[in-house]
Amino acid sequence: SFSKALVLLLLVIAFTQLVLLLIYNFTGKLVQNNTFIYYNLINQIPVFCVGIVYYLFESATIFKLNWKLNLIGFLSLTILSLLLWNSNWPNIFSILPFLSALSYVFLINLFKNSTSLNFNLLVRVGTVSYSMYIIHFIFLNFSTIASLKLSGYLNKNIILIIMYLLTVTVTFIGAVISEKYI
């Protein structure tokens, strides 16, 4: 059943890439960031499939790697995603959600298998993730404004890291508050 799940994942990814290629061939529209095609289920379904396959493997305790392999997997996939993001490859946004999902699998295992990282915090983020998704744009707008003001003083990569951490933290707090009162 696990080999079937992996085959199904690969077939879904191949199918979605084929559909996106057909969309491009018939309409001339590539998958671009923050567009309808990017957020469409066709482009995002590989992410759900990665989660399903991971759940199957995790529940059967098949996916057990030591912390070094999890760290290498997370960093490798994250760096690959960043390199592709900065590349000129026109189809990057059709594969980036899948790569990010795989990266997250290694990250969650890193948290799970580490005694020094707080796995409960990651679980808590997961429980309010939908609320975070709904309200993050509010805080993202403020961090964009702050980033523009800081751009003359700090390196853009430092600003990115600071604003990312700040946005995620404030969004998490806002999601916890909204969960309690809404």
Side-chain angles (χ1 to χ4, degrees):
S1 70
F2 300 110
S3 59
K4 289 179 186 176
L6 282 175
V7 169
L8 181 62
L9 173 65
L10 293 174
L11 287 174
V12 166
I13 292 165
F15 176 75
T16 59
Q17 291 300 304
L18 178 64
V19 169
L20 293 169
L21 184 63
L22 289 172
I23 289 171
Y24 172 69
N25 284 333
F26 286 109
T27 67
K29 294 185 186 277
L30 284 171
V31 178
Q32 295 178 331
N33 195 19
N34 295 322
T35 62
F36 175 78
I37 298 173
Y38 176 79
Y39 291 114
N40 192 292
L41 183 61
I42 293 168
N43 196 47
Q44 298 295 325
I45 197 119
V47 175
F48 292 101
C49 290
V50 167
I52 292 166
V53 170
Y54 175 71
Y55 173 77
L56 293 173
F57 276 57
E58 183 64 22
S59 63
T61 63
I62 290 177
F63 197 78
K64 297 292 180 196
L65 300 174
N66 68 35
W67 72 270
K68 291 176 187 175
L69 290 175
N70 283 312
L71 182 62
I72 290 168
F74 169 68
L75 290 176
S76 299
L77 288 165
T78 302
I79 289 169
L80 176 62
S81 296
L82 291 171
L83 289 172
L84 287 172
W85 180 286
N86 290 317
S87 74
N88 291 327
W89 186 46
N91 232 9
I92 179 58
F93 292 105
S94 69
I95 196 74
L96 198 59
F98 170 70
L99 289 176
S100 299
L102 285 179
S103 175
Y104 187 77
V105 165
F106 288 102
L107 178 64
I108 196 165
N109 276 326
L110 187 62
F111 271 81
K112 272 186 163 180
N113 299 327
S114 173
T115 55
S116 59
L117 296 173
N118 188 347
F119 179 69
N120 291 331
L121 176 62
L122 192 61
V123 169
R124 185 68 178 124
V125 168
T127 60
V128 296
S129 63
Y130 186 69
S131 296
M132 290 178 71
Y133 171 73
I134 291 173
I135 67 170
H136 81 281
F137 72 91
I138 299 167
F139 306 110
L140 189 60
N141 186 37
F142 289 117
S143 68
T144 302
I145 293 167
S147 296
L148 291 172
K149 290 182 180 182
L150 291 172
S151 64
Y153 304 104
L154 294 173
N155 176 288
K156 67 180 181 176
N157 293 322
I158 301 288
I159 295 171
L160 173 68
I161 292 168
I162 292 169
M163 289 300 126
Y164 175 78
L165 292 173
L166 185 62
T167 302
V168 169
T169 302
V170 174
T171 301
F172 173 72
I173 292 168
V176 168
I177 291 168
S178 74
E179 177 191 46
K180 185 175 182 176
Y181 294 107
I182 297 177

